[in-house]
């Protein structure tokens, strides 16, 4: 068996972001090195040979995004894109930026993900599973910007191993594969899952990119939010005919 490997995320920062960061440094943050919350977009690959991207838009784009939070599904989350929370820490000196213990910063962010899983916060807000860290230093005299991205992930005690690979059609046949695809599409398309999504608020996080895929005793496949995890697990234990798994948007 071979060890399962994952493609690393690639970072991409909107050019206007750095200009606005310099403005915030001069007029708002000044000498403060406090962490600032921000959002990025994960873009799934267009094909299996491409990597995924994590894009940080400019502040004006982020402000526009806040206006979309009353929608059941934010527009930029369609077509393989979804929002992820992160923290930016901008340093006053190049030395401070370079001397920071980046391994410790990565572990701290990873611990936040783990605590979100233990507390159940990740089930209510699945985007908590995709935190990122951005460290920066802006040399405003030379218009030079330094940055360091980190995308923490929970590491299993032992590496996952792949016994074999097969397409869904090869594994379960055309009919079942079509039913599974239909159930996933119903979750990804807002017009088909509005009845499953609770009323959104300014603090509510979209359910994408993680959801549950279940098959009940009648053989019907359906997609459910992560908040249904406990109920699905209980049914799976009581009724072995019910199958369940956790799905994620490909990235």
């Amino acid at each position: 068996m071979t060890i399962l490997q994952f493609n690393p995320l690639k970072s991409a920062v909107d050019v206007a972001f750095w200009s606005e960061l310099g403005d915030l440094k001069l007029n708002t943050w000044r000498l403060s090195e406090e962490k600032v919350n921000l959002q990025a977009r994960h873009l799934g690959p267009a094909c299996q040979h491409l990597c995924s991207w994590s894009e940080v838009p400019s502040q004006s784009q982020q402000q526009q995004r806040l206006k979309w939070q009353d929608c059941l599904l934010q527009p930029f989350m369609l077509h393989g894109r979804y929002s992820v929370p992160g923290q930016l820490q901008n340093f006053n000196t190049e030395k401070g930026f370079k001397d920071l213990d980046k391994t410790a910063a990565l572990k701290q962010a990873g611990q936040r993900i783990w605590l979100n899983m233990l507390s159940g916060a990740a089930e209510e807000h699945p985007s908590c599973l995709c935190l990122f860290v951005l460290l920066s230093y802006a040399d405003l005299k030379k218009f030079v910007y330094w940055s360091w991205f980190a995308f923490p992930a929970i590491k299993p005690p032992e590496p996952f191993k792949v016994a074999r690979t097969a397409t869904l059609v090869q594994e379960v046949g055309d009919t079942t594969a079509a039913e599974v695809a239909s159930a996933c599409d119903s979750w990804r398309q807002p017009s088909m899952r509005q009845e499953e999504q609770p009323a959104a608020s300014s603090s509510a996080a979209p359910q994408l990119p993680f959801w549950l895929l279940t098959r009940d005793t009648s053989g019907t496949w359906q997609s459910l939010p992560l908040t249904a995890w406990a109920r699905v697990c209980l049914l799976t234990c009581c009724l072995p005919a019910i199958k369940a798994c956790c799905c994620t948007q490909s990235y």
Side-chain angles (χ1 to χ4, degrees):
M1 291 189 294
T2 59
I3 295 178
L4 178 63
Q5 297 180 323
F6 299 88
N7 286 330
L9 291 172
K10 297 290 186 179
S11 59
V13 182
D14 187 270
V15 175
F17 175 87
W18 296 120
S19 176
E20 294 177 3
L21 184 145
D23 182 71
L24 288 170
K25 168 65 177 173
L26 285 174
N27 302 307
T28 305
W29 299 338
R30 299 179 184 270
L31 296 180
S32 173
E33 293 185 346
E34 293 293 325
K35 296 177 181 178
V36 178
N37 294 327
L38 76 163
Q39 286 186 318
R41 294 183 294 224
H42 275 352
L43 287 72
C47 67
Q48 62 179 347
H49 300 295
L50 298 179
C51 62
S52 297
W53 289 84
S54 183
E55 176 189 40
V56 180
S58 64
Q59 185 70 14
S60 59
Q61 290 176 308
Q62 296 204 28
Q63 290 173 352
Q64 182 182 14
R65 176 178 307 158
L66 295 178
K67 300 177 183 178
W68 294 339
Q69 288 186 341
D70 292 333
C71 300
L72 290 178
L73 186 64
Q74 297 177 11
F76 66 87
M77 294 188 63
L78 299 175
H79 309 299
R81 304 177 183 180
Y82 54 91
S83 173
V84 291
Q87 285 190 328
L88 163 69
Q89 185 174 10
N90 187 68
F91 292 86
N92 293 318
T93 64
E94 181 181 344
K95 184 177 186 302
F97 169 80
K98 292 183 176 181
D99 289 349
L100 181 76
D101 188 341
K102 296 178 176 58
T103 300
L106 180 60
K107 289 183 177 179
Q108 185 180 19
Q111 184 66 17
R112 290 175 56 199
I113 296 178
W114 180 243
L115 293 177
N116 286 333
M117 295 172 64
L118 295 179
S119 67
E123 296 178 15
E124 293 287 345
H125 305 283
S127 61
C128 292
L129 296 170
C130 302
L131 301 177
F132 72 96
V133 176
L134 171 56
L135 307 179
S136 65
Y137 164 65
D139 187 339
L140 301 181
K141 294 182 178 179
K142 298 180 180 178
F143 297 101
V144 175
Y145 299 88
W146 300 71
S147 65
W148 181 83
F149 275 91
F151 305 97
I154 301 300
K155 182 180 179 180
E158 297 291 336
F160 296 115
K161 295 184 178 180
V162 180
R164 64 188 182 89
T165 59
T167 65
L168 186 60
V169 172
Q170 293 172 337
E171 191 69 23
V172 300
D174 292 334
T175 301
T176 301
E179 293 173 351
V180 171
S182 177
C184 292
D185 286 341
S186 70
W187 177 257
R188 298 171 60 189
Q189 298 178 18
S191 60
M192 301 179 65
R193 70 180 183 92
Q194 286 182 357
E195 66 278 1
E196 300 173 358
Q197 185 86 333
S201 65
S202 59
S203 61
Q207 294 292 348
L208 287 174
F210 302 99
W211 69 95
L212 299 176
L213 180 65
T214 67
R215 186 178 66 179
D216 59 25
T217 53
S218 66
T220 301
W221 291 92
Q222 60 178 329
S223 294
L224 299 171
L226 294 189
T227 50
W229 176 257
R231 175 168 58 86
V232 171
C233 287
L234 178 61
L235 290 174
T236 303
C237 294
C238 298
L239 302 173
I242 293 181
K243 306 296 182 181
C245 63
C246 184
C247 300
T248 177
Q249 177 81 23
S250 175
Y251 68 93

